[in-house]
Amino acid sequence: MSDHGVGILAPGVDFRGHQSGTGGTTSNLPRQTMKTPTPAQRDYAARQVRAKALLASIGTALEAHAKKIAGQPENWAFTGDLSAVEDRLQEILEYFGK
Protein backbone atom coordinates (compact mmCIF):
# COMPACT_ATOMS: atom_id res chain seq x y z
CA MET A 1 0.00 0.00 0.00
CA SER A 2 1.20 3.52 -0.69
CA ASP A 3 2.06 6.10 1.94
CA HIS A 4 -1.19 7.96 1.10
CA GLY A 5 0.79 10.99 0.06
CA VAL A 6 2.33 11.61 3.47
CA GLY A 7 5.09 14.12 2.98
CA ILE A 8 3.79 15.16 -0.43
CA LEU A 9 1.84 18.36 -0.72
CA ALA A 10 -1.34 18.37 -2.70
CA PRO A 11 -1.01 19.49 -6.31
CA GLY A 12 -1.47 23.22 -6.66
CA VAL A 13 -1.02 23.89 -2.94
CA ASP A 14 1.89 26.23 -2.27
CA PHE A 15 2.76 26.96 1.34
CA ARG A 16 5.91 28.98 0.64
CA GLY A 17 6.21 32.71 1.21
CA HIS A 18 7.24 34.42 -2.03
CA GLN A 19 10.25 36.70 -1.80
CA SER A 20 10.45 40.13 -3.39
CA GLY A 21 13.69 41.61 -4.71
CA THR A 22 14.29 43.35 -1.36
CA GLY A 23 13.97 40.17 0.70
CA GLY A 24 10.51 40.95 2.07
CA THR A 25 7.55 38.65 1.59
CA THR A 26 5.05 39.52 -1.10
CA SER A 27 2.28 37.26 0.14
CA ASN A 28 0.64 36.30 3.42
CA LEU A 29 1.46 32.61 2.99
CA PRO A 30 3.48 30.98 5.77
CA ARG A 31 7.23 30.90 5.12
CA GLN A 32 7.36 27.11 5.01
CA THR A 33 9.57 25.39 2.45
CA MET A 34 8.39 22.50 0.32
CA LYS A 35 11.29 20.40 1.66
CA THR A 36 10.00 20.52 5.22
CA PRO A 37 6.21 20.19 5.28
CA THR A 38 4.55 20.77 8.61
CA PRO A 39 2.56 18.00 10.29
CA ALA A 40 -0.62 19.81 9.22
CA GLN A 41 0.54 19.83 5.59
CA ARG A 42 1.43 16.14 5.70
CA ASP A 43 -1.92 15.26 7.25
CA TYR A 44 -3.78 17.43 4.70
CA ALA A 45 -1.99 15.73 1.80
CA ALA A 46 -2.74 12.26 3.19
CA ARG A 47 -6.39 13.13 3.74
CA GLN A 48 -6.67 14.55 0.23
CA VAL A 49 -5.37 11.29 -1.22
CA ARG A 50 -7.87 9.30 0.87
CA ALA A 51 -10.75 11.64 -0.09
CA LYS A 52 -9.94 11.19 -3.78
CA ALA A 53 -9.88 7.41 -3.31
CA LEU A 54 -13.31 7.60 -1.65
CA LEU A 55 -14.64 9.62 -4.59
CA ALA A 56 -13.37 6.96 -6.99
CA SER A 57 -15.05 4.28 -4.87
CA ILE A 58 -18.31 6.25 -4.98
CA GLY A 59 -18.12 6.27 -8.78
CA THR A 60 -17.62 2.51 -8.83
CA ALA A 61 -20.52 2.01 -6.40
CA LEU A 62 -22.80 4.19 -8.56
CA GLU A 63 -22.00 2.06 -11.60
CA ALA A 64 -22.76 -1.14 -9.68
CA HIS A 65 -26.01 0.37 -8.40
CA ALA A 66 -27.09 1.24 -11.96
CA LYS A 67 -26.62 -2.41 -12.97
CA LYS A 68 -28.97 -3.51 -10.17
CA ILE A 69 -31.84 -1.35 -11.41
CA ALA A 70 -31.48 -2.83 -14.89
CA GLY A 71 -32.94 -6.06 -13.52
CA GLN A 72 -35.77 -4.29 -11.68
CA PRO A 73 -36.73 -1.25 -13.78
CA GLU A 74 -40.01 -0.64 -11.89
CA ASN A 75 -38.41 -0.64 -8.43
CA TRP A 76 -38.47 2.89 -7.00
CA ALA A 77 -36.21 1.91 -4.10
CA PHE A 78 -33.18 2.46 -6.34
CA THR A 79 -34.34 6.01 -7.04
CA GLY A 80 -34.70 6.54 -3.29
CA ASP A 81 -31.16 5.29 -2.77
CA LEU A 82 -29.79 7.80 -5.25
CA SER A 83 -31.89 10.58 -3.78
CA ALA A 84 -30.25 10.00 -0.38
CA VAL A 85 -26.77 9.83 -1.94
CA GLU A 86 -27.40 12.98 -3.97
CA ASP A 87 -28.51 14.86 -0.83
CA ARG A 88 -25.33 13.90 1.01
CA LEU A 89 -23.11 14.82 -1.93
CA GLN A 90 -24.83 18.20 -2.14
CA GLU A 91 -24.11 18.73 1.57
CA ILE A 92 -20.43 18.07 0.89
CA LEU A 93 -20.38 20.60 -1.94
CA GLU A 94 -22.06 23.16 0.31
CA TYR A 95 -19.36 22.54 2.92
CA PHE A 96 -16.80 23.68 0.32
CA GLY A 97 -18.91 26.73 -0.52
CA LYS A 98 -20.23 25.49 -3.87
Side-chain angles (χ1 to χ4, degrees), residues 28-76:
N28 292 328
L29 295 173
R31 299 183 78 190
Q32 178 67 32
T33 66
M34 295 293 279
K35 295 178 184 176
T36 312
T38 67
Q41 290 169 323
R42 287 191 305 269
D43 190 58
Y44 180 91
R47 289 176 186 277
Q48 189 176 69
V49 168
R50 289 191 301 266
K52 287 180 179 181
L54 287 170
L55 289 172
S57 294
I58 289 169
T60 300
L62 283 170
E63 291 172 9
H65 193 266
K67 290 177 183 175
K68 289 180 185 177
I69 194 173
Q72 301 177 46
E74 300 297 322
N75 187 340
W76 280 89

Side-chain angles (χ1 to χ4, degrees), residues 72-83:
Q72 301 177 46
E74 300 297 322
N75 187 340
W76 280 89
F78 295 108
T79 302
D81 294 345
L82 284 185
S83 176

